[in-house]
């Protein structure tokens, strides 16, 4: 069966520091991968999605970037965090475009 | 453009009573619709999905939803609430664009009272 991992589970970082969140999927090949942010416990905003290695699409302009160095690895990064980057970050995968997505456990990021 | 509206931001029921979480969608074509559940500080879990097969969809944990095209609704129900059902519920429609983007409603918080 497929599983999706995210780490770290929680993170407290000062403003201006870099960020790296990692997501990995097991048990499937060539999945679509997604990064979402959930602010204030409500609503999900799609940040990035990827249909293959090195292929990244950004949904909204922001202080973050994403990379997919391996088939089942998706990384969310920032060079300098802002207070507004605080939130709950969720990674998800789907077997292909348009199919249901399966979510990881999330990373709680607090920027101080 | 596709969108979903969850009509209640907060629903409170007593344990053992029925649950109804309301969702209306807007779509120019036959949509794919989903319900997800999120427990506090957890990821989202797929409860059920509608993809133009049977209009009454059964999901996990005793939940079901009925697709009503004439009412553009996809309400989530459960005959008898359990304390463990207390969570945030999201109604979701799939975008018709080639991204297959999922469009989330704002969520409904379900409170279950003993």
């Amino acid at each position: 069966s497929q599983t999706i991992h995210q780490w770290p589970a929680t993170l407290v970082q000062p403003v201006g520091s870099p960020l790296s969140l990692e997501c990995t999927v097991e048990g499937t090949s060539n999945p679509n991968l997604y990064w979402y942010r959930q602010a204030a416990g409500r609503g999900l905003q799609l940040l990035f999605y990827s249909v293959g290695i090195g292929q990244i699409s950004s949904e909204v302009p922001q202080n973050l970037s994403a990379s997919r160095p391996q088939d089942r690895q998706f990384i969310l990064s920032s060079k300098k965090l802002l207070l507004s980057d605080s939130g709950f970050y969720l990674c998800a995968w789907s077997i292909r475009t348009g199919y249901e997505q399966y979510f990881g456990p999330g990373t709680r990021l607090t920027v101080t | 453009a596709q969108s979903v509206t969850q009509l209640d931001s907060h629903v409170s029921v007593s344990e053992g009573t029925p649950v109804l979480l309301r969702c209306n969608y807007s779509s120019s074509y036959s949509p794919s619709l989903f319900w997800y559940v999120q427990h506090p500080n957890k990821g989202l879990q797929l409860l059920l999905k509608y993809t133009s097969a049977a209009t009454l969809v059964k999901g996990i944990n005793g939940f079901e939803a009925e697709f009503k095209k004439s009412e553009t609704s996809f309400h989530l129900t459960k005959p008898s609430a359990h304390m463990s059902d207390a969570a945030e519920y999201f109604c979701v429609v799939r975008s018709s664009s080639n991204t297959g983007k999922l469009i989330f409603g704002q969520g409904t918080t379900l409170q279950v009272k003993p």
Side-chain angles (χ1 to χ4, degrees):
Chain A
S1 64
Q2 299 86 10
T3 56
I4 178 169
H5 304 278
Q6 288 185 245
W7 64 88
T10 60
L11 190 60
V12 180
Q13 293 282 95
V15 168
S17 63
L19 173 74
S20 181
L21 303 182
E22 189 166 343
C23 170
T24 59
V25 180
E26 296 177 356
T28 188
S29 295
N30 196 31
N32 283 10
L33 296 171
Y34 309 84
W35 277 112
Y36 290 87
R37 177 169 57 202
Q38 187 176 30
R42 266 208 187 260
L44 275 80
Q45 180 185 37
L46 178 63
L47 301 176
F48 301 96
Y49 69 94
S50 171
V51 299
I53 296 175
Q55 300 178 64
I56 309 295
S57 296
S58 174
E59 284 292 299
V60 293
Q62 60 206 313
N63 185 43
L64 302 168
S65 62
S67 62
R68 185 170 177 175
Q70 301 180 45
D71 181 44
R72 289 168 290 177
Q73 184 185 32
F74 205 23
I75 297 172
L76 184 69
S77 303
S78 174
K79 292 182 179 178
K80 290 186 177 181
L81 282 169
L82 306 173
L83 285 174
S84 57
D85 292 324
S86 293
F88 193 49
Y89 288 83
L90 290 157
C91 181
W93 72 273
S94 66
I95 191 169
R96 61 175 64 100
T97 298
Y99 282 64
E100 63 270 23
Q101 295 176 15
Y102 298 93
F103 286 79
T107 295
R108 174 74 60 191
L109 171 65
T110 303
V111 182
T112 61
Chain B
Q2 291 76 36
S3 66
V4 287
T5 302
Q6 292 185 243
L7 300 173
D8 306 291
S9 60
H10 188 99
V11 171
S12 181
V13 301
S14 297
E15 189 176 21
T17 64
V19 175
L20 170 63
L21 305 183
R22 299 183 295 164
C23 173
N24 286 354
Y25 69 91
S26 172
S27 177
S28 57
Y29 71 110
S30 183
S32 290
L33 294 159
F34 310 85
W35 275 99
Y36 283 85
V37 61
Q38 184 181 30
H39 289 89
N41 294 309
K42 301 292 185 183
L44 278 72
Q45 181 183 21
L46 180 66
L47 276 178
L48 50 81
K49 62 180 179 179
Y50 168 77
T51 53
S52 71
T55 57
L56 183 61
V57 182
K58 294 187 181 299
I60 62 172
N61 301 336
F63 285 94
E64 60 183 37
E66 185 171 8
F67 174 73
K68 291 187 176 180
K69 186 175 181 179
S70 60
E71 299 176 9
T72 62
S73 68
F74 190 57
H75 301 335
L76 183 70
T77 60
K78 182 173 181 177
S80 176
H82 191 273
M83 295 298 292
S84 62
D85 294 327
E88 189 84 12
Y89 291 80
F90 293 95
C91 182
V92 181
V93 65
R94 188 190 76 195
S95 168
S96 61
S97 74
N98 59 6
T99 67
K101 177 180 174 180
L102 296 188
I103 300 167
F104 288 79
Q106 287 302 300
T108 298
T109 301
L110 176 63
Q111 179 187 23
V112 182
K113 298 177 289 186

